[in-house]
Amino acid sequence: MGELEYEKIYKAWKWDIPKKYNIGVDVIDKHTTSKNKNKVALYWENAAGETARYTFWDLKNLSNKFGNALKKLGFKKEDRFLIRLPNIPAFQISFLGGVKIGAVPIPSSVMFREHEIEYRINDSSAKAVITTPKFVKEVHAVKNNCKTLNILLSSETQTQRKGSSPLIRS
């Protein structure tokens, strides 16, 4: 491709941006209306060798449950929540469930220390933190310094079992 051809293509190219787009619907839900609904969308295995498989149908239902739980807690479009989860399916489920309702997930690392968690909550104006009992201590330590934080959701166990909701208790 010559320089003149590049310039012509460059000047003619336009972004095709849809007026309404939801990545949760695009990467999961659209596959549940086709022959792919029972195909595995997520394989998971932990260090102990426990495994789980989630089909597109499973992820659609679980992420919808999570999104609906957020709505029941008062979440609206553009409300933010911090995800402080290890590499478990609840991470993907909570992320997708949040974006499906228009909320904004803020992924974070479980290696963050208290001051890093506090900064992210305050900088993003997160209303909630999604975590596990193993990683909740640091959130409790900073919650009084985070004016927008009013919900702390913790899963019951490290392993997210197929068919269960990542939202277990508040």
Side-chain angles (χ1 to χ4, degrees), residues 69-124:
L70 287 178
K71 284 192 231 183
K72 285 181 184 176
L73 291 169
F75 266 74
K76 298 181 281 316
K77 187 177 181 178
E78 298 183 13
D79 283 344
R80 292 161 180 81
F81 64 98
L82 186 81
I83 302 175
R84 180 175 165 73
L85 292 172
N87 188 15
I88 58 175
F91 191 103
Q92 290 83 5
I93 292 165
S94 61
F95 187 98
L96 293 167
V99 296
K100 282 183 177 183
I101 67 162
V104 180
I106 311 294
S108 71
S109 171
V110 293
M111 295 173 60
F112 284 164
R113 296 180 181 196
E114 292 173 8
H115 70 280
E116 295 164 313
I117 296 165
E118 180 180 340
Y119 173 80
R120 279 160 181 80
I121 293 168
N122 288 329
D123 188 57
S124 67

